[in-house]
Amino acid sequence: INLIRPIFENKDQVVVVYSRKQTEHLLSDFGCVINAFVEDISLKKYIADFSDKEETLQEVILFYHLPEQFPAYSLFKLDSILDSMLKENGQTSLYRDIELPLAKVLYDMEVSGFRVDEEIINELNLKYKSILADLTQKIYDLAGEKFNINSPKQLGTILFEKLNLQTGKKKN
């Protein structure tokens, strides 16, 4: 830990990890605090290639055909690949301004804890999963195909090229 502590505690450092929350939990067990700017590959992958399935680093490395035997190199390459995908999909701001700061908040909540009514949470979870599944299917039916609804680029293609919807003019 003494070898990596200066890297993670240096506020001028950029560090690429698979999961910021997992890394922060692990480092906190050794009294190490993250001050560096952390790029979160799992979060980028979740946004760029939306999937509700949790994936391991090894699964993501294999998905992008990167060498398993060099995980540090693969993390570096994934960072570049996923940055390009986020930029292409218009999702960079979503990652930088919303999801990345939220990961820190979620970590703090996990450490501090909070009270919830588990029964109500489970009921709401079922209710909203069902509503989301219904709405998602309606969108696919209207579009005539499945696509990444969270991708502005793919959504734009469906709305404006396939369905020929008119773009609205911004008013001052």
Side-chain angles (χ1 to χ4, degrees):
I1 193 77
N2 289 333
L3 293 174
I4 62 170
R5 181 185 306 272
I7 296 168
F8 282 96
E9 291 186 346
N10 181 349
K11 66 178 175 53
D12 297 322
Q13 189 73 27
V14 175
V15 182
V16 178
V17 299
Y18 184 68
S19 168
R20 180 197 171 101
K21 282 193 327 171
Q22 289 178 346
T23 302
E24 198 157 10
H25 279 295
L26 178 65
L27 292 175
S28 71
D29 290 344
F30 296 98
C32 182
V33 176
I34 295 180
N35 294 321
F37 181 82
V38 176
E39 294 286 4
D40 186 324
I41 297 302
S42 67
L43 193 54
K44 285 182 180 184
K45 172 76 167 75
Y46 172 77
I47 295 167
D49 186 26
F50 179 75
S51 168
D52 58 359
K53 174 185 168 257
E54 284 195 35
E55 298 170 293
T56 65
L57 173 58
Q58 184 177 8
E59 289 171 328
V60 175
I61 287 172
L62 290 173
F63 180 82
Y64 287 100
H65 307 289
L66 295 169
E68 289 179 79
Q69 63 273 32
F70 303 109
Y73 168 80
S74 294
L75 268 177
F76 176 75
K77 291 298 288 179
L78 283 168
D79 189 50
S80 176
I81 291 167
L82 293 169
D83 270 348
S84 295
M85 288 176 69
L86 290 174
K87 185 176 182 181
E88 182 180 319
N89 294 336
Q91 297 170 315
T92 302
S93 179
L94 173 63
Y95 169 73
R96 293 253 178 257
D97 301 333
I98 297 171
E99 295 291 347
L100 199 55
L102 182 58
K104 174 67 175 140
V105 170
L106 292 174
Y107 167 78
D108 291 341
M109 288 173 63
E110 288 174 6
V111 170
S112 302
F114 58 95
R115 294 182 184 265
V116 295
D117 184 323
E118 189 174 353
E119 188 176 318
I120 290 176
I121 295 294
N122 289 335
E123 287 175 19
L124 290 172
N125 184 36
L126 290 174
K127 175 183 174 183
Y128 291 121
K129 271 188 177 179
S130 175
I131 291 170
L132 181 60
D134 290 344
L135 291 173
T136 299
Q137 189 57 53
K138 285 179 185 177
I139 291 169
Y140 292 156
D141 290 345
L142 289 169
E145 66 181 89
K146 288 188 176 184
F147 64 99
N148 181 352
I149 295 169
N150 294 315
S151 167
K153 183 176 182 181
Q154 291 180 30
L155 182 59
T157 299
I158 295 293
L159 294 176
F160 305 119
E161 293 176 22
K162 185 170 185 180
L163 299 177
N164 294 317
L165 296 178
Q166 298 297 313
T167 59
K169 303 275 185 197
K170 289 189 176 180
K171 296 180 181 178
N172 292 336

